[in-house]
Amino acid sequence: MSPAAVSPAAPSAPMRQRIITAVLRIIGEDGVAAVTNRRIAKEAGVSLGSVTYHFETQHELLRESLLHFVREEARHFTELADQCRTEGLDVEDAASLAGQVACGSALDSAHLAPFELYLQAGRDERLRESAAEAFRAYDLLAARILTALGVPDAERLAATTVALVMGLQLRRLATGSPADDLVDALLLLVRGSAGRSSTAASGEPAEQ
């Protein structure tokens, strides 16, 4: 859900990985329109021919970059879900961890790349299945975390949680608001859901 920092790929990294890392960094700095084979080659430290050898079209470049980002996100959140399950974290601890993963420690251009890619998917329907795959992964992982915390209707609440995290992350990027805002909102959402479930189970009317 959160844009992970895009650091330069190590010179020893596979060439395809170096190219993808360069693409994400360029998008974060200057947007999708700035992605050219010549700039990618310069940023990745590879030949111009290597870029076209590994990726025949810009669409393929953008699609693979988005999918790479999603896989990294899935790995981070799977680790968080496993930690919730194995360490018995309470809601406050889990919200704090989610805030750390979602916000990171810095507000910089690297955090903008995935939002640029999602906007591009809105313009280019060829990228939409990749974007849909991203959100399916987010929903699944959110459901796992919520289930580990004992939140009722975790699967139903997952998409709302994802939307909340991404919306507040975008707000944080645009305004510089603190990560605490995201943690507070997650706590409010989870506690509110748990409270409604408890009220329904007891047969008491919900507060108006």
Side-chain angles (χ1 to χ4, degrees):
M1 279 172 278
S2 69
V6 183
S7 302
S12 59
M15 191 172 295
R16 187 179 179 88
Q17 178 59 53
R18 288 160 62 187
I19 292 170
I20 288 175
T21 300
V23 169
L24 288 171
R25 190 164 59 251
I26 292 167
I27 292 172
E29 291 174 354
D30 296 310
V32 172
V35 177
T36 65
N37 288 351
R38 190 172 300 278
R39 182 166 176 186
I40 294 167
K42 180 180 179 181
E43 294 273 352
V46 302
S47 68
L48 190 60
S50 296
V51 178
T52 55
Y53 174 80
H54 287 282
F55 302 96
E56 293 184 359
T57 65
Q58 187 183 72
H59 163 68
E60 184 183 357
L61 261 173
L62 296 178
R63 179 175 61 83
E64 290 301 313
S65 297
L66 178 57
L67 290 176
H68 168 75
F69 171 77
V70 171
R71 294 183 191 108
E72 287 300 300
E73 286 285 271
R75 181 176 63 81
H76 286 307
F77 276 85
T78 298
E79 290 173 356
L80 177 59
D82 290 342
Q83 190 172 355
C84 288
R85 186 164 49 247
T86 59
E87 296 186 6
L89 299 179
D90 60 21
V91 171
E92 287 80 3
D93 290 336
S96 178
L97 282 172
Q100 293 173 30
V101 174
C103 295
S105 58
L107 289 173
D108 54 34
S109 61
H111 290 73
L112 294 173
F115 287 108
E116 290 276 359
L117 284 168
Y118 293 136
L119 287 173
Q120 187 66 19
R123 303 183 185 102
D124 185 350
E125 64 181 15
R126 295 173 298 175
L127 291 173
R128 289 179 186 169
E129 178 52 38
S130 298
E133 182 178 337
F135 281 94
R136 285 193 293 268
Y138 296 152
D139 290 349
L140 177 62
L141 292 168
R144 286 185 60 190
I145 293 170
L146 293 170
T147 298
L149 291 171
V151 174
D153 296 323
E155 291 187 5
R156 182 174 61 84
L157 191 59
T160 302
T161 304
V162 170
L164 174 65
V165 170
M166 295 192 73
L168 286 172
Q169 170 67 352
L170 183 59
R171 178 174 178 172
R172 180 171 182 258
L173 287 167
T175 66
S177 60
D180 290 346
D181 289 353
L182 173 57
V183 175
D184 290 344
L186 287 170
L187 287 171
L188 182 64
L189 177 69
V190 173
R191 286 171 173 164
S193 174
R196 286 193 299 274
S197 176
S198 297
T199 298
S202 66
E204 297 177 1
E207 294 183 5
Q208 303 295 322

